[in-house]
Amino acid sequence: MTRVLSVASEAFPLVKTGGLADVVGALPAALAEHGVETTTLLPAYPSLAEVATGAKVVHRWRDLLGAEARLLAGTIAGHPLLMLDAPLLFARIGGLYDHADDWRRFAALGRAAADLASGVVKGRHFDILHAHDWQAAMGPAYLRYAPGPGPRARTVMTVHNIAFQGRFDAAVFAELGLPALAWAVDGVEYYGGVGFLKAGLEAADAITTVSPTYAAEIRDGRFGMGLEGLINVRRAVVSGIVNGIDPAIWNPQTDSALPRRYAATTLAGRAVNKRAVEKKFALDPGDGPIFTVISRLTWQKGMDVLAECLDDLVALGGRLALLGSGDAALEQAFLAAAARHPGRIGVTIGYDEPLSHLLQGGADAILIPSRFEPCGLTQLYGLAYGCVPVVARTGGLADTVIDANEAALAAGVATGFQLGEVGYNSLSHAIRRAIDAYADPAIWAAVQQNGMRADFSWRQSGRRYADLYASLEGQS
Ligand code: ADP
Ligand code: GLC
């Protein structure tokens, strides 16, 4: 039995701002099938209050990066959970991130993880410390430079998005409690400041990203965001493991957020959900295709390009139901498009988990024109729900969607539509291809069913993580 400490800043269903939470939340069940016991370590944000209340205290720090802290034990979806309870750091109003002392907050998370993974916390032992993204990345760095007295866990650093790096002023180095030698080009120093993700990538025994294509892309300056040199130096330990989806949460046959549940053989039932989408988004009822967007509204997601294509989408007979929030200018652009095209474009600015399920179960196609996409989950949900993905050919989108070109259609394997370099022409063209295919019910149903029958469970990827852990244990 391998014991893994999975450290992150989010995990569904307790706290979520994006795909990271879905993956961290799904991993324990995915890994259990392969003889791995996963304990998840999260900050005890106010949203965890219900799980934290009355939870057993398993450790106390009088001074964890300047804060008093306790470690509480609970469960998440039946698996072990540890919560870092440090009110000074995590009992905040506002968002999870972008606080002035984020360096202190997430250095504390890393320090706690390293303590757990090197014998400081009595009665706890882990074989592997698995750190997710920059918020957890100081874990491997502390383990490398300032471990506790016990045996040290081996470390895995997973990059869910290399654009978010946790970069801070050089002045914080003195407060991290690291030895002077950690201030080095192959340590925590990064372009003259402190780099959390950088430090984790240097320290970890193995590095993974969330798709094979993204693992290759980040070796290139266009995607590596300044870390491509380091990724190239460490390429022998870098691999890509594509995310799966949690079938307990994303399954159209059992989804309680859907007015009508259905399977690949009962696709006609989707029409009931489509009517519900029309109602929610004040769209004219009709038989033409409804596109959806469920996304952060950002440059990464190509949302500025999509906004330029909306007049064409409507002119071609399409409708759009968009759920998202993000950049103010993009929110305004989509609201303006909805005002220009009443009955054809409906926009909900916000974050709404049940509504995201309804859209997957009722819209015909989901648009994901990302400029880069480490894995992407909404296309996987789309595939599982017969909501055909229209995606950019990058990262995990390239690895999970098979373009409905002539060859793929003839071979019966097409699952969606891909576009190359994201721009007005390429996206408009992809939207037109999807609308044309929708007009042929036999082709459309085949594309939907191919996606619904594909396997995006965690089975294969869970095995890959388990194999990776086993190979690291073998080295120690
Ligand atoms: P990222 O993590 O880069 O935002 P992913 O595709 O990996 O992209 O994951 C996004 C997750 O967040 C999915 O579970 C998606 O359904 C969800 N999501 C994004 N925006 C919204 C929203 N406005 N309301 C509800 N869920 C959303
Ligand atoms: C990040 C990426 C996204 C990925 C998710 C989970 O948020 O942007 O592509 O699916 O992490 O790994």
Side-chain angles (χ1 to χ4, degrees), residues 10 12 16-23 160-161 164 243 250 293-297 300-301 323-325 348-357 360 366 368 372-379 381 397:
E10 307 184 13
F12 187 84
K16 166 169 171 179
T17 69
L20 170 68
D22 289 1
V23 173
H160 293 263
N161 192 337
F164 303 119
N243 293 328
W250 293 98
V293 168
I294 305 161
S295 184
R296 295 187 280 122
L297 304 180
Q300 174 195 339
K301 302 290 181 181
L323 168 63
S325 64
T348 298
I349 300 298
Y351 192 93
D352 187 331
E353 197 76 29
L355 189 53
S356 75
H357 286 245
Q360 295 281 13
I366 180 162
I368 316 172
F372 63 94
E373 195 62 74
C375 179
L377 293 173
T378 57
Q379 86 280 12
Y381 302 146
L397 300 173

